[in-house]
Amino acid sequence: MAGSNAKYRKIIDAMFAENADLFDEFAHIHNEYEKNPKKWQEKYNQVGVDVMDIMRDCERKLCHGMERGQYASYSAKLADQYWAEIRTHFPLIDQVGVVIE
């Protein structure tokens, strides 16, 4: 299991490095969104869509081919670990796409 931990962390590190400008912008917006969701929701959603696309693409790369056969439950656990690590950086990532009225 240690190898998988290293793998998902390497993928996350590479994702942040390859998209540094976008993730820096999103980190700033995420911090502001935590303080004032109503004011920042629209911008959070706009930038968050691109961030989520990249995150989901990286998740697919991480778990590619494992969903079938004997590794299906392992793939789900690895995906859960991946998203748990993402949430340590962006605790409100699940709020992307939410509409506040």
Side-chain angles (χ1 to χ4, degrees):
M1 194 94 147
S4 65
N5 289 344
K7 185 175 181 182
Y8 79 79
R9 289 205 173 128
K10 285 180 184 176
I11 286 178
I12 290 171
D13 290 344
M15 175 183 69
F16 286 154
E18 291 168 12
N19 303 283
D21 291 341
L22 177 62
F23 279 99
D24 287 347
E25 178 185 10
F26 186 69
H28 169 73
I29 294 167
H30 184 276
N31 291 339
E32 295 299 325
Y33 178 76
E34 282 183 303
K35 297 174 198 169
N36 189 346
K38 285 186 179 184
K39 179 180 177 185
W40 286 90
Q41 187 69 56
E42 186 176 339
K43 185 72 172 172
Y44 188 73
N45 287 343
Q46 288 172 350
V47 177
V49 167
D50 295 334
V51 167
M52 289 296 292
D53 286 346
I54 292 168
M55 289 178 176
R56 286 188 188 113
D57 186 50
C58 289
E59 178 188 22
R60 278 189 290 278
K61 289 176 186 174
L62 177 66
C63 297
H64 177 70
M66 286 185 186
E67 305 86 25
R68 299 178 299 277
Q70 67 188 33
Y71 297 110
S73 64
Y74 177 74
S75 175
K77 289 177 188 174
L78 188 58
D80 288 345
Q81 289 175 328
Y82 170 84
W83 284 105
E85 181 68 19
I86 292 293
R87 287 181 188 98
T88 65
H89 299 277
F90 300 113
L92 300 176
I93 192 67
D94 297 314
Q95 298 296 88
V96 171
V98 171
V99 176
I100 296 177
E101 294 184 17

